[in-house]
Amino acid sequence: MKHSRFITAAVLCSAVLFVSCQSVKNVPDDITPQELLRDAQNAYDHGSARKALAYYDLLAERFGADAETYVIARYEAAHIYIKKHKWEKAEPILQEVIEIYRNMPAGSLSGSYQKMAESDLAKIPQKKQKTAKE
């Protein structure tokens, strides 16, 4: 029984990876963060939130060592979830962005994403929000 659950979980994980890889295939290794950000925004503008999210994930993965780039990628992904009313996916990302600002030296990041993350977090209905105490 445990073996079949493991196989099922492995197949599901593979399927998820396959779908996300399919949505942003052939992304060159030498693409710049600005180009990836542009591609994500274009994907969203053309109606593909899934593809945009995959680009934002790739942006965070490839260039996440730069805090500013990481914050932008994570915030933009959360913002898509907010627009789609997927509160449970948006909230932890927005909390992460806000926490990054709390832990960075003042002025080391542009304050605009902190304000936007706080604004988006406030859009989540209270009954849908998880408290930090849980």
Side-chain angles (χ1 to χ4, degrees):
M1 185 73 160
K2 288 182 181 181
H3 184 67
S4 67
R5 286 183 187 165
F6 175 77
I7 292 172
T8 302
V11 169
L12 287 174
C13 288
S14 298
V16 169
L17 288 172
F18 179 75
V19 169
S20 77
C21 290
Q22 288 296 314
S23 60
V24 291
K25 55 187 170 181
N26 300 325
V27 177
D29 290 336
D30 63 345
I31 194 168
T32 67
Q34 295 78 16
E35 291 169 325
L36 259 177
L37 184 61
R38 181 205 59 217
D39 290 347
Q41 291 168 338
N42 285 339
Y44 188 78
D45 290 345
H46 288 94
S48 182
R50 182 183 303 171
K51 192 171 186 177
L53 288 166
Y55 278 121
Y56 289 129
D57 287 345
L58 187 60
L59 180 63
E61 179 185 318
R62 286 193 185 176
F63 302 101
D66 175 65
E68 187 84 24
T69 301
Y70 184 79
V71 163
I72 291 168
R74 298 299 286 154
Y75 168 77
E76 293 296 343
H79 191 64
I80 289 173
Y81 291 130
I82 287 291
K83 288 180 178 181
K84 295 185 152 298
H85 297 180
K86 293 189 176 188
W87 316 120
E88 71 286 348
K89 291 186 177 190
E91 184 180 10
I93 299 170
L94 294 169
Q95 293 286 7
E96 175 189 23
V97 168
I98 292 166
E99 191 63 26
I100 289 169
Y101 275 94
R102 286 186 186 135
N103 291 315
M104 294 293 288
S108 61
L109 296 172
S110 165
S112 60
Y113 284 95
Q114 179 181 13
K115 290 175 186 168
M116 291 187 298
E118 289 168 349
S119 175
D120 275 0
L121 191 59
K123 293 176 186 175
I124 298 174
Q126 287 293 338
K127 63 185 176 189
K128 300 287 185 181
Q129 286 190 21
K130 294 181 180 177
T131 63
K133 296 175 188 173
E134 290 181 357

